[in-house]
Amino acid sequence: MSKNTIQKRNSHSARLAKSPTGIAGLDEISEGGLPCGRPTLLCGSAGCGKTLLAMEFLVRGVTEFGERGVFVSFEESANELAENVQSLGFDLKKLVTQKKIFLDHVIIERSEIEETGDYNLEGLFIRLDYAVKQIGAKRVVLDTLEALFGGLSNEALIRAELRRLFRWLKVRKLTAIITGERGEKSLTRYGLEEYVADCVILLDHQVADQITTRRLRIVKYRGSLHGTNEYPFLITSQGFSVLPITSLGLNYPVSTRRLSTGNEELDGMLGGKGFFRGTSVLVTGTPGTGKTSIGTQLVDAACGRGERAIIFAYEESQEQIIRNQQSVGIDLRPWLRRGLLQIHAVRPTVYGIERHLVEMYDRTRNFSPHIVFMDPINNLSVTNKPNELQTALIRLIDFFKERGITAVFTQLQPMSEPEAMLGVSSLMDTWLELRNEEDEGVFRRTLFIRKSRGMAHATQRREFKITARGVELESPIASPRRDGRKEFVTL
Amino acid sequence: MTAGTKKISRCSCPEGRRTQPQRYLLKLFIAGMSTRSVAAIKSIKRVCRQHLGEDFDLEIVDLYREPQRALQEQIVAVPTLIKKRPAPMRRIIGSMENEKRLMNGLNVTVR
C-alpha cells in the first residue's frame, strides 16, 4: 500500500485518525497505522524487537511523514541505540543533529537512591516536555517505562504517575509507543495494558526446530478494524517487515509480454512465445531430470539479451553450477563478469526460512533482476510445519510479481512418491513437470506442461535430451490420455 | 569528620591524603515552590547546619525554569537532592521529611 492511499484513507475515517508507521505491512494490518495522538502499547519478551520497531516508527515518521519524534530510553544509551538501528540502515545520529529526533536516556540507579518521603515523577514530565518542545515532536517513544518499577520502590506512586503520564500524552495529542516487557499472567509484567486502552500490539518469537520465527499480533485496537491474525515479521537491513499473508493484494500489474525460455522448441510448447513475464514458474522432477538445466537455460538466454538475473542455489556452490552447466553448453561466467548475473549459493539449513526470505528480498531489491531462479525450494523449510514453505512461497511470489520479476522455482520430487509435496503448484502460473521414465532398460527424459495460465500450451508430453548444446526437445511422442490422467503413455 | 570521609582520605592516592574533610556540594532539584519543595529545602538546611556546620554548598534548581538540567542531571523524581561531593555520589529523593534517611543518604552521623 502506498503512503498516499494510507493518508487518503485516514482523511476518510474521521472517527479515528491514524498515524501511519511506514513499516511494511503494519499499516496494512492496522488499517492505516497507530491511533493518532494516542498511546499504543507494544509488548513482548526480551529481544523480540520492541525497541527496533519503536525506533523505526520514529525514523519513518521523520523521513516519510514529516513528523518529528522523541525517544526516551530507559535502557539503552544514545550511542547504543544509534548502533543498533544502524543495522536497519537508519542514520540516527544525523537525525539527532538535524533536530528531527530527540534522544533522552533516562538512568535510574536504585543503589544510588535514598527515598526520604513523598515525591512525584515531575522530573520525567519536565524532560519529556522539554524534548517535545525542543524539536516540535508529534511522536514519542517510551522504552521501557517499566524500568521505573525497578528503580523506585513506591509502586502505588509510580502507577498514579503512569496514569498521569498517559493523560499528559493524550492532552498534547502525541502519538506514542510505550513498550512493555511480556508478563507471565498479563500482557506486560507490570500491567501497563491497564493504562493504555487504545491499541495494544504484541510481539513474539517462537523457536521451533532451532529456528526462530518472529510474530506480531494486534491484540486490541479500540474503534478500528484490524487484522487479528499472528503475522510473521522480519527484521531486515531495511527495517521491519510484517508479512500480512492474508491481506496481500492480488493487484499487481499483469504483463502480456513474453519471456523466451531460451529454447525455441519449449517456447513453441508455451503458445509459441514462452512464459509470461512477471509470472511464477515451477519446474518439478525426480532427481536427475534436468530441472537445473531448464532453469539455467532461461537465465542464460535472459543475460544474453542484457537482462539481469539472480540464481539462488540451495544445493550446489557457484563453482559447481558453473562447471556443471558448462557441460551442457551454458557458460555463465561472462554474465557474472558483466554484472548481469548473481549467484547466491547457501545451504538451506544455515538459517530459518524467514531469514532466507530476507536475504532474497534484500538481494532482489538491490539488484532488481528481471529473472529469479531458485533451485530447489524443497529444503528451504527445515521445520516440520507443513504450511511453512507454502506460506513463504506465497509471500515470495507476491513480492516478485509486484516487481514484475519472472520467478522460476525448481522442486525435487522424491522417487518414491512423485506426487508428494506438490502443495505449492497451485501458487504457480506455469508448471513444467520433468520425468525420468524407464522404458525397457532405457531412461528417457520427458517434459510435460501441467499448466500454464493464460495461454494455449502444448498438452503433449515431450521427450528431451540434455546434450552438450543444452536441452533439446524431441518431436512429440504421445497424446495425453482422454481421461485426463497424467500418466506417461509410452510409445 | 565523618566515617565516610575518613575512609576516602585513606585511599591509595597520596595527594588524596587530606587532613581537612571535603566540603559538601549539594544540589537540590525541585519543580516549582510546592509545599513539598519548601519542606525539602527546610529539612535539608536544618540537617546540614546541624551536622556539617558551614561546610556545605547547596544549590537549589527549579526545573520549571531550567528544564534542560533535568536531562543533564538525570532527574526523574522530584524533589531530588544530589550529593556531588564527597564521593560516593548519592541521590536522595522525596520531601526529605525522614531525617534519618536523609542523613544516611548524606552519609553524616550524629555528632
Side-chain angles (χ1 to χ4, degrees), chain A residues 74 102-128 130-131 148 152, chain B residues 30-31 36 63-64 66-68 70-79 89-98 101-102 104-105:
Chain A
F74 290 82
F102 193 104
L103 292 180
D104 185 13
H105 181 201
V106 177
I107 304 166
I108 306 171
E109 190 62 61
R110 190 167 195 157
S111 60
E112 280 184 356
I113 296 174
E114 188 78 48
E115 297 187 21
T116 65
D118 272 357
Y119 55 92
N120 63 19
L121 304 185
E122 189 64 16
L124 187 61
F125 286 78
I126 290 170
R127 288 167 81 155
L128 194 51
Y130 175 78
L148 291 172
L152 302 166
Chain B
I30 53 172
R36 203 181 280 151
L63 294 174
Y64 286 144
E66 297 177 78
Q68 74 283 3
L71 283 80
Q72 289 158 7
E73 301 283 358
Q74 284 296 345
I75 308 300
V76 173
V78 288
M89 191 183 95
R90 289 300 299 261
R91 289 166 182 272
I92 303 151
I93 63 171
S95 58
M96 315 289 162
E97 280 160 332
N98 186 332
R101 288 191 170 213
L102 172 58
N104 189 34

Side-chain angles (χ1 to χ4, degrees), chain A residues 84-197:
Chain A
N84 292 349
V85 299
Q86 209 168 20
S87 58
L88 306 186
F90 301 142
D91 190 347
L92 196 56
K93 284 184 175 160
K94 189 172 134 205
L95 293 173
V96 170
T97 325
Q98 293 173 337
K99 297 207 164 192
K100 287 178 173 162
I101 284 185
F102 193 104
L103 292 180
D104 185 13
H105 181 201
V106 177
I107 304 166
I108 306 171
E109 190 62 61
R110 190 167 195 157
S111 60
E112 280 184 356
I113 296 174
E114 188 78 48
E115 297 187 21
T116 65
D118 272 357
Y119 55 92
N120 63 19
L121 304 185
E122 189 64 16
L124 187 61
F125 286 78
I126 290 170
R127 288 167 81 155
L128 194 51
D129 185 56
Y130 175 78
V132 167
K133 281 182 179 151
Q134 277 293 300
I135 60 166
K138 291 263 180 262
R139 300 182 177 208
V140 168
V141 170
L142 298 162
D143 178 47
T144 161
L145 271 179
E146 287 169 329
L148 291 172
F149 291 97
L152 302 166
S153 65
N154 192 337
E155 193 173 321
L157 180 140
I158 296 169
R159 291 189 178 278
E161 289 292 84
L162 284 184
R163 217 175 280 280
R164 182 160 77 100
L165 178 64
F166 292 122
R167 255 200 325 271
W168 188 95
L169 291 168
K170 277 189 195 177
V171 166
R172 280 157 187 79
K173 296 194 164 46
L174 293 161
T175 308
I177 289 183
I178 287 97
T179 64
E181 196 90 351
R182 189 92 162 89
E184 271 174 33
K185 286 181 188 145
S186 53
L187 279 173
T188 58
R189 195 181 295 170
Y190 292 96
L192 292 179
E193 58 271 27
E194 258 179 70
Y195 311 103
V196 185

Side-chain angles (χ1 to χ4, degrees), chain B residues 9-56:
Chain B
S9 63
R10 260 190 259 117
C11 77
S12 55
C13 40
E15 65 270 27
R17 223 181 274 275
R18 298 198 185 105
T19 46
Q20 286 290 310
Q22 216 177 355
R23 193 175 171 83
Y24 269 69
L25 176 57
L26 305 172
K27 294 192 180 187
L28 175 66
F29 298 87
I30 53 172
M33 273 300 176
S34 64
T35 47
R36 203 181 280 151
S37 306
V38 174
I41 295 169
K42 265 191 184 167
S43 186
I44 291 163
K45 284 188 172 166
R46 190 174 56 244
V47 167
C48 287
R49 288 214 176 99
Q50 195 180 340
H51 300 283
L52 302 171
E54 294 302 315
D55 271 348
F56 71 95

Side-chain angles (χ1 to χ4, degrees), chain A residues 463-481:
Chain A
E463 198 172 324
F464 71 97
K465 285 193 174 117
I466 298 180
T467 70
R469 290 182 305 280
V471 175
E472 288 182 3
L473 272 80
E474 316 257 318
S475 44
I477 48 172
S479 305
R481 287 165 54 137

Side-chain angles (χ1 to χ4, degrees), chain A residues 9 23 39 47 55 79 127 134 211 231 249 264 292 296 325 365 389 432 434 460 484:
Chain A
R9 195 186 283 188
I23 294 168
M55 186 55 91
N79 274 335
R127 288 167 81 155
Q134 277 293 300
I211 304 280
Y231 300 94
E264 217 173 295
T292 305
T296 38
Q325 293 310 309
R365 281 200 193 98
L389 180 64
L432 303 185
L434 309 183
Q460 285 155 318

Side-chain angles (χ1 to χ4, degrees), chain A residues 23-24 52 56 60 84-90 214 232-243 354-363 365 395 399:
Chain A
I23 294 168
L52 284 181
E56 185 167 354
R60 298 219 180 267
N84 292 349
V85 299
Q86 209 168 20
S87 58
L88 306 186
F90 301 142
R214 299 169 184 275
F233 71 89
L234 307 168
I235 300 174
T236 75
S237 62
Q238 269 125 26
F240 260 70
S241 191
V242 184
L243 303 155
E354 307 284 333
R355 192 82 200 86
H356 280 294
L357 284 182
V358 175
E359 194 85 36
M360 288 179 231
Y361 281 24
D362 275 2
R363 284 175 187 268
R365 281 200 193 98
R395 274 139 57 179
F399 175 80

